[in-house]
Amino acid sequence: MYQDLFYQNNWNEVKASIYAKTAQDVERALGKQRRNLEDFKALISPAAAPYLEQMAQLSHQLTKKRFGNTIQMYTPMYLSNECQNICTYCGFSLDNKVRRRTLSDDEIVREAEAIKAMGYEHILLVTGEANKTVGVEYIKKAIKLMKPYFSHISMEVQPMDQDEYESLIEEGLNTVLVYQETYHKEDYKKHHPKGKKSNFDYRVDTPDRLGKAGIHKIGIGVLIGLEDWRTDSFFTALHLDYLERTYWQTKYSISFPRLRPFSGGLEPKVEMNDRELVQLICAYRLFDEEVELSLSTREHPIFRDNIIKLGITSASAGSKTNPGGYVVEPESLEQFEISDERSTEEFTEMVKRQGYEVVWKDWDLALQE
């Protein structure tokens, strides 16, 4: 289990080793064909900042070699904002006094039809973590309703047991995103004081349960801003490296959500500027040529336009982060504020202008059909 490997690494020692990396370490990493976790530390360190142009060029080349000039499109569908957890950074948190909303079967279908009309084949189902209202049976029913509309179904919901994942995979689930939020265990407790999510070890072992269940793809990552982003990113890369070695038939993706405002929100403990996010994206690509790198509408349009060629392989557009946000109830509470508010059509036109092909289907899955 990753948990065993995780506890062999001390947060403060890892952090110190990243910040101790030198220009020589960075140059050594850049000169290699295959890079290890020590090289990844060098590439995310402050010492790598002057090498950003070189990192970006390498990242572009490696991404183009593996993925071609393509950007995979997906969009989220928020099914519910009900949640039993208290999380300091989230608009759906139990202690936020807001009207709760869970979509009915008919409403799910209406949302699916609206999203399908925009061209999407890849849907991401999102809920708060509330077992009684949006538990396994609710998710199972939602997947059944989605299948006629979409060729790839992903979800970002509460962590589950292995047998529960197996039952959802049987219904047609392809991908699960489960973010650790932060690998700093003490800070994790501060941000998740109540609810099932407060169990750090159960959450950190979730990708293991998914791997054992035989899921097609697992998405991992942290919420950038809760803790030192460099140290959190090392533990994410350590997790990715372990998963790829252990569950080698599964595909993997990394996302880069930066803490965004919500109604009553938390200020980031550690700010990450745009250059640093570019550095992190390029470092992941140089570390792992196979991993998919995803960027959401949390980021502003100018940044998203400029990052397309530097390692990103999938992106969302036209996103609504509230239940029923596309047609059913556009005004319900959002989980966080969107920064790139362009329509799907506007975003995809920008991608095409940069010489990239917009991909709606997951080709790997299409070949398996």
Side-chain angles (χ1 to χ4, degrees):
M1 301 287 271
Y2 173 70
Q3 190 184 134
D4 302 328
L5 179 61
F6 172 77
Y7 284 115
Q8 292 169 24
N9 291 269
N10 176 277
W11 176 280
N12 292 330
E13 288 173 8
V14 167
K15 184 176 180 180
S17 73
I18 294 169
Y19 283 84
K21 293 294 182 186
T22 65
Q24 193 176 10
D25 295 321
V26 178
E27 289 172 10
R28 189 183 303 117
L30 289 172
K32 288 184 174 181
Q33 289 295 313
R34 292 186 66 81
R35 298 166 186 92
N36 59 28
L37 284 159
E38 284 303 312
D39 297 321
F40 182 77
K41 284 183 186 176
L43 295 170
I44 62 173
S45 73
Y51 297 87
L52 189 56
E53 183 63 35
Q54 195 177 342
M55 288 175 65
Q57 287 175 2
L58 274 171
S59 181
H60 170 70
Q61 290 164 14
L62 291 172
T63 307
K64 189 172 180 179
K65 184 177 81 173
R66 169 61 184 85
F67 295 93
N69 285 354
T70 62
I71 296 291
Q72 174 95 45
M73 296 299 300
Y74 72 95
T75 206
M77 183 198 293
Y78 279 67
L79 301 174
S80 175
N81 63 7
E82 295 189 54
C83 195
Q84 294 161 349
N85 296 318
I86 292 179
C87 302
T88 59
Y89 49 81
C90 182
F92 292 177
S93 183
L94 179 65
D95 56 348
N96 266 8
K97 303 302 177 197
V98 295
R99 190 167 70 85
R100 303 293 169 167
R101 183 86 161 82
T102 298
L103 299 185
S104 67
D105 291 5
D106 288 345
E107 289 169 337
I108 291 172
V109 169
R110 284 174 62 197
E111 291 284 290
E113 288 171 345
I115 292 168
K116 180 72 173 181
M118 291 185 242
Y120 288 97
E121 286 283 349
H122 185 162
I123 191 76
L124 169 63
L125 303 179
V126 186
T127 70
E129 299 192 10
N131 278 331
K132 291 189 177 69
T133 44
V134 287
V136 176
E137 291 308 312
Y138 179 88
I139 302 295
K140 199 177 282 188
K141 191 165 56 175
I143 291 170
K144 281 180 182 172
L145 293 169
M146 291 295 108
K147 277 193 81 172
Y149 296 94
F150 304 103
S151 62
H152 189 117
I153 300 171
S154 306
M155 73 176 192
E156 184 182 342
V157 304
Q158 70 265 21
M160 296 176 181
D161 294 338
Q162 182 181 332
D163 62 330
E164 293 173 323
Y165 283 131
E166 287 167 356
S167 71
L168 295 177
I169 291 165
E170 281 176 22
E171 293 298 340
L173 178 67
N174 306 113
T175 298
V176 174
L177 310 184
V178 57
Y179 303 129
Q180 189 58 32
E181 316 297 12
T182 179
Y183 287 90
H184 189 295
K185 191 168 182 179
E186 286 70 33
D187 265 23
Y188 182 93
K189 287 175 187 167
K190 284 183 211 165
H191 292 297
H192 309 96
K194 187 175 189 298
K196 193 176 177 183
K197 195 170 179 176
S198 62
N199 186 336
F200 179 93
D201 290 346
Y202 183 75
R203 193 169 188 90
V204 92
D205 282 340
T206 303
D208 273 291
R209 296 192 297 276
L210 281 163
K212 289 171 184 170
I215 193 77
H216 172 70
K217 190 190 300 178
I218 300 170
I220 62 172
V222 293
L223 183 54
I224 297 167
L226 290 185
E227 245 304 332
D228 178 75
W229 66 263
R230 291 183 169 93
T231 314
D232 253 338
S233 297
F234 168 79
F235 280 103
T236 308
L238 181 72
H239 206 162
L240 173 67
D241 187 58
Y242 160 84
L243 290 168
E244 287 184 330
R245 292 171 191 274
T246 311
Y247 310 104
W248 54 271
Q249 290 176 303
T250 298
K251 293 185 172 297
Y252 298 93
S253 70
I254 302 278
S255 296
F256 306 89
R258 284 193 280 190
L259 191 56
R260 298 278 312 155
F262 74 91
S263 37
L266 175 79
E267 288 299 312
K269 177 179 176 180
V270 181
E271 290 277 1
M272 174 197 243
N273 63 39
D274 287 356
R275 279 183 66 84
E276 289 170 337
L277 182 49
V278 173
Q279 180 184 348
L280 179 60
I281 289 168
C282 294
Y284 270 116
R285 176 58 66 226
L286 269 58
F287 173 64
D288 192 322
E289 295 180 24
E290 295 292 319
V291 71
E292 297 178 23
L293 302 179
S294 181
L295 201 67
S296 77
T297 52
R298 286 175 184 255
E299 298 302 331
H300 53 83
I302 295 170
F303 182 84
R304 296 225 305 162
D305 291 2
N306 289 321
I307 201 69
I308 288 294
K309 292 185 175 182
L310 301 184
I312 292 298
T313 58
S314 66
S316 57
S319 303
K320 305 296 181 188
T321 69
N322 48 314
Y326 295 96
V327 288
V328 172
E329 191 179 356
E331 300 306 311
S332 61
L333 172 81
E334 292 196 329
Q335 188 184 23
F336 57 86
E337 291 178 15
I338 297 295
S339 192
D340 187 350
E341 296 184 350
R342 288 175 293 184
S343 68
T344 298
E345 190 176 1
E346 289 170 318
F347 182 80
T348 54
E349 281 305 313
M350 176 277 295
V351 171
K352 290 171 188 171
R353 281 197 304 273
Q354 296 209 35
Y356 276 64
E357 180 188 350
V358 173
V359 176
W360 300 98
K361 262 196 163 186
D362 185 316
W363 296 114
D364 291 320
L365 283 173
L367 291 169
Q368 291 171 20
E369 288 173 2

